[in-house]
Amino acid sequence: SSGSMFDEQDYISKNISSLVTFLQAQKIDYHIAVISSDFQGDKGEFYHTNNNPSIITNTISSTTALAENLKVGFMGSAIEGGLESAYLALSEPMLSGANKDFLRNEAILALIFMTDEEDQSPQTFGFYSNFFLQLKPKNMLSTIAIAMNQSCSTQTNQPESLRYREFITDTKGIFASICDPTLWIPAIQDEIKQAQILRNFYLTFPAEIWPTITVSIDGATISEDVITGWSYDGCDNKVSFENDPNIPISGSVIKIDYTIRCNGLLCSIP
């Protein structure tokens, strides 16, 4: 929301129709909201203008309203913190107040940060990644930062966006350069497309690996096989489907039964 983002706001506003077209072609039931990086002034409240709704959905005329909402202006604070703004937007009092009806339990949450600055949020990047990973499990959280990478920093003589990069690494998202606008929309589309593919399922408790894990899709038992079935990653505590056509399609019911590990002992949950 600073003056240095004038060209970027203008570009994304003029080209957002391609993203809306993509979302509609994917038949995604989307909610889209815009916030500024001015966490001290706007406090994470969704931005809207010209009587547009603050939450854009696939049931209204999306393109024009979203394009207008993306122009948040250039008079915001010089202390920019996109991570803090996103945190405020999706926590109380905003979550049940001005920003109510945005977050849905069954929906993937995609966070998209666009900035030519380093993040100046008051908390550590780990605080924010932990918050969002508690808000949504890893397989339902998608994060994208379009910000200052090293080459862009060298080109513009501006600081690299290291905190955004650390946040993206922590949440297993993608990082794209703010200096190459032709990559912005494709990067967002690729991440959203990948988020719709149900590859990874993170277990709530650490699993006793062998032979306690059984997996079924729509009632059919699937064998443990990295090529033709599923595999377990003990480091990330997840069951993964890596290869087509074994990846579950949207709407499938995936059931994972396992015995949990508790301080080196086998434990059970009712």
Side-chain angles (χ1 to χ4, degrees):
S1 57
S2 64
S4 63
M5 286 292 289
F6 177 88
D7 291 336
E8 287 83 354
Q9 284 190 35
D10 188 59
Y11 183 92
I12 196 69
S13 176
K14 288 178 178 177
N15 290 275
I16 201 63
S17 59
S18 60
L19 177 60
V20 173
T21 300
F22 164 80
L23 295 174
Q24 293 172 342
Q26 296 288 312
K27 302 186 185 303
I28 296 175
D29 179 14
Y30 57 83
H31 285 184
I32 304 177
V34 178
I35 57 174
S36 80
S37 58
D38 183 1
F39 64 90
Q40 295 176 321
D42 295 332
K43 296 180 173 57
E45 183 173 351
F46 294 158
Y47 181 82
H48 64 102
T49 187
N50 295 338
N51 296 317
N52 293 324
S54 59
I55 300 173
I56 306 299
T57 73
N58 57 335
T59 61
I60 64 174
S61 180
S62 304
T63 304
T64 300
L66 181 55
E68 292 175 348
N69 285 359
L70 282 165
K71 293 197 170 185
V72 298
F74 318 104
M75 302 301 291
S77 171
I79 301 175
E80 301 181 42
L83 294 175
E84 178 72 5
S85 287
Y87 163 72
L88 292 174
L90 297 176
S91 57
E92 297 299 347
M94 286 296 176
L95 192 59
S96 59
N99 297 348
K100 67 179 180 178
D101 299 328
F102 173 78
L103 196 66
R104 296 170 292 173
N105 290 335
E106 73 282 5
I108 291 170
L109 174 63
L111 303 173
I112 304 169
F113 301 93
M114 290 191 65
T115 182
D116 60 356
E117 302 281 353
E118 173 63 295
D119 179 72
Q120 300 176 70
S121 300
Q123 306 289 345
T124 65
F125 76 88
F127 169 87
Y128 299 109
S129 59
N130 288 337
F131 170 78
F132 291 114
L133 288 170
Q134 289 174 6
L135 197 62
K136 289 286 184 179
K138 288 182 181 179
N139 61 317
M140 295 186 70
L141 178 67
S142 179
T143 57
I144 306 155
I146 300 170
M148 283 282 180
N149 62 6
Q150 188 174 28
S151 62
C152 187
S153 175
T154 302
Q155 177 184 333
T156 61
N157 199 31
Q158 294 293 321
E160 191 176 350
S161 302
L162 294 177
R163 280 170 54 88
Y164 284 110
R165 183 175 291 282
E166 291 169 329
F167 173 80
I168 291 298
T169 299
D170 220 23
T171 55
K172 303 186 186 306
I174 63 171
F175 192 101
S177 173
I178 193 72
C179 286
D180 191 349
T182 62
L183 297 178
W184 298 350
I185 299 296
I188 295 170
Q189 291 175 345
D190 286 347
E191 178 64 11
I192 291 174
K193 188 180 294 184
Q194 287 300 313
Q196 295 297 309
I197 299 174
L198 305 177
R199 293 181 184 272
N200 301 310
F201 297 84
Y202 292 84
L203 307 184
T204 305
F205 303 98
E208 181 67 23
I209 301 176
W210 181 259
T212 69
I213 304 174
T214 59
V215 178
S216 65
I217 301 176
D218 295 328
T221 300
I222 308 298
S223 300
E224 180 182 9
D225 188 300
V226 70
I227 304 299
T228 62
W230 57 271
S231 61
Y232 174 71
D233 182 340
C235 293
D236 282 344
N237 196 37
K238 67 181 179 180
V239 168
S240 299
F241 298 84
E242 295 298 337
N243 298 296
D244 295 329
N246 307 306
I247 298 170
I249 63 173
S250 180
S252 297
V253 176
I254 295 90
K255 183 180 180 183
I256 303 173
D257 292 310
Y258 62 100
T259 302
I260 68 170
R261 182 191 296 273
C262 184
N263 295 326
L265 303 174
L266 294 183
C267 306
S268 61
I269 351 176

